[in-house]
């Protein structure tokens, strides 16, 4: 039976406005200074790094431990992505793993590509999802002062980081026209990164291969991995959610700058206890081991 849909009009208006401004921003790209374009690219990569290495691999799955300097850096990067409070993002994603492709899954892929991509953000939550929220604990997050700090300021601090900060830097740093900076480094970059993130929930649940567990929908998708600094190896990730690399192979074989960032931090002594699932996979005990480890997110 088709699920009834109730539209969240404030979110539709916000996203509609952002997408319109991003579309207008596309026409401002040719007249931007090269510094602004480079800054936009760097900011885009940093904000998706905040999503992948930060809110996903660190705070949702606890696949490694990080020094407060790394956590603060990732929190600021995540704030630039303007994807809400860390605690809410983590809650949604833990539910996505626990109730994958059921009505409780916030971006249930069995409701279609559009719903899994962005429709879920624009519509009221399914009652099963609201029920599922009561079964998921995010208490562990509140022990981290970095998460509490972000929660204190969100969503206003996110808007400042995502739109005011890039405008200020480009305008005062190299005399870019404020409107160019706001539209290109702000709105074009925000909307682009939002859709890159959403591709993991949509395209990486529809198109690609399933070498690790053919009974689940999530796939290995290099295109999504390329756009999300390494989050497209999604069949491995749903099989072994606790693996900090979110992929079987090293970054030389599977595009994964998020793993490289974590490894670099580990070399500097700022990251410890990186979990891997290679042994579990190679000894074919992966299902039992994964179930056991999944309890730790
Ligand atoms: Zn997924
Ligand atoms: Zn995950």
């Amino acid at each position: 039976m088709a699920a009834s849909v109730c539209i969240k009009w404030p979110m539709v208006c916000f996203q509609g406005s952002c997408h319109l401004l991003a579309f207008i921003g596309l026409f401002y790209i040719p007249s931007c200074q090269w510094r602004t374009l480079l800054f936009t690219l760097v900011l885009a990569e940093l904000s998706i790094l905040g999503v992948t290495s930060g809110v996903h691999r660190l705070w949702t799955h606890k696949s490694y431990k990080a020094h407060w300097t790394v956590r603060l850096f990732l929190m600021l990067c995540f704030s630039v992505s303007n994807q809400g409070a860390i605690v809410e993002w983590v809650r949604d994603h833990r539910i996505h793993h626990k109730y994958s492709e059921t009505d409780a899954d916030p971006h249930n892929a069995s409701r279609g590509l559009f719903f899994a991509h962005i429709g879920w953000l624009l519509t009221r939550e399914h009652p099963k999802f609201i029920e599922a929220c009561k079964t998921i604990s995010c208490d562990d997050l509140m022990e981290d002062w970095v998460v509490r700090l972000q929660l204190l300021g969100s969503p206003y601090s996110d808007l400042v980081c995502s739109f005011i900060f890039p405008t200020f830097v480009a305008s005062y740093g190299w005399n870019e026209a404020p409107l160019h900076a706001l539209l290109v480094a702000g709105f074009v970059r925000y909307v682009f990164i939002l859709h890159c993130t959403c591709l993991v929930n949509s395209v990486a649940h529809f198109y690609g291969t399933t070498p690790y567990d053919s009974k689940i929908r999530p796939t290995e998708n290099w295109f999504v991995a390329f756009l999300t600094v390494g989050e497209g190896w999604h069949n491995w990730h749903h099989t072994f959610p606790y693996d900090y690399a979110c992929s079987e192979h090293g970054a030389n074989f599977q595009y994964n700058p998020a793993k490289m960032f974590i490894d670099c931090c580990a070399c500097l002594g700022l990251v410890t206890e990186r979990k891997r699932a290679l042994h579990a996979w190679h000894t074919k005990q992966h299902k039992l081991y994964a179930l056991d480890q999944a309890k730790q997110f």
Side-chain angles (χ1 to χ4, degrees):
M1 195 173 78
S4 61
V5 171
C6 185
I7 293 172
K8 283 182 184 170
W9 287 109
M11 185 54 103
V12 170
C13 291
F14 175 72
Q15 286 300 340
S17 305
C18 288
H19 280 68
L20 180 63
L21 290 167
F23 179 71
I24 294 168
L26 292 176
F27 297 96
Y28 281 72
I29 289 175
S31 51
C32 273
Q33 295 180 36
W34 68 267
R35 293 180 191 85
T36 307
L37 298 179
L38 182 64
F39 176 58
T40 302
L41 195 65
V42 169
L43 213 55
E45 292 299 295
L46 287 177
S47 56
I48 195 75
L49 187 75
V51 176
T52 57
S53 295
V55 74
H56 185 223
R57 300 186 194 187
L58 175 64
W59 282 300
T60 300
H61 294 296
K62 300 200 162 288
S63 62
Y64 65 96
K65 287 192 174 160
H67 188 263
W68 69 265
T69 51
V70 175
R71 301 201 313 274
L72 185 63
F73 172 72
L74 289 171
M75 181 272 270
L76 291 171
C77 290
F78 177 68
S79 296
V80 174
S81 78
N82 188 31
Q83 294 189 14
I86 290 173
V87 282
E88 288 178 7
W89 201 106
V90 168
R91 178 202 63 199
D92 290 357
H93 195 68
R94 284 180 179 176
I95 292 174
H96 169 61
H97 276 271
K98 188 171 181 183
Y99 301 101
S100 197
E101 283 150 20
T102 68
D103 284 334
D105 183 347
H107 31 81
N108 178 9
S110 60
R111 289 177 69 177
L113 192 69
F114 180 79
F115 180 84
H117 188 73
I118 202 157
W120 69 282
L121 280 174
L122 309 176
T123 52
R124 293 251 168 256
E125 295 81 2
H126 195 285
K128 291 264 173 64
F129 167 78
I130 295 165
E131 262 175 51
C133 287
K134 296 172 193 155
T135 71
I136 290 285
S137 171
C138 292
D139 293 348
D140 54 303
L141 295 174
M142 299 313 285
E143 291 165 16
D144 187 346
W145 64 268
V146 174
V147 175
R148 293 199 303 272
L149 181 67
Q150 198 261 352
L151 184 62
L152 208 62
S154 185
Y156 305 108
S157 54
D158 302 335
L159 293 171
V160 169
C161 289
S162 196
F163 302 111
I164 309 291
F165 164 71
T167 307
F168 183 84
V169 170
S171 308
Y172 287 93
W174 49 88
N175 288 321
E176 179 59 276
L179 188 61
H180 281 64
L182 178 65
L183 292 177
V184 176
F187 285 98
V188 172
R189 191 255 328 140
Y190 162 67
V191 168
F192 177 69
I193 292 303
L194 176 70
H195 283 287
C196 289
T197 309
C198 290
L199 286 175
V200 180
N201 303 329
S202 58
V203 169
H205 274 253
F206 279 85
Y207 307 107
T209 57
T210 56
Y212 306 109
D213 189 345
S214 58
K215 294 186 184 70
I216 58 174
R217 194 194 279 256
T219 62
E220 300 285 282
N221 188 304
W222 65 266
F223 178 68
V224 175
F226 176 70
L227 290 175
T228 56
V229 294
E231 292 290 72
W233 316 112
H234 212 48
N235 189 251
W236 173 272
H237 176 58
H238 268 263
T239 312
F240 304 108
Y242 59 89
D243 187 311
Y244 86 95
C246 289
S247 62
E248 179 187 3
H249 303 292
N252 288 343
F253 297 95
Q254 288 177 307
Y255 186 74
N256 203 339
K259 176 182 183 297
M260 291 166 74
F261 169 80
I262 297 166
D263 290 340
C264 286
C265 291
C267 285
L268 296 170
L270 298 171
V271 156
T272 56
E273 299 181 42
R274 288 166 293 167
K275 296 176 193 165
R276 277 297 252 155
L278 295 175
H279 179 72
W281 171 243
H282 291 143
T283 54
K284 308 294 181 195
Q285 296 297 313
H286 58 287
K287 291 225 162 141
L288 281 173
Y289 188 65
L291 278 172
D292 183 44
Q293 294 293 308
K295 289 173 194 159
Q296 304 172 33
F297 299 110

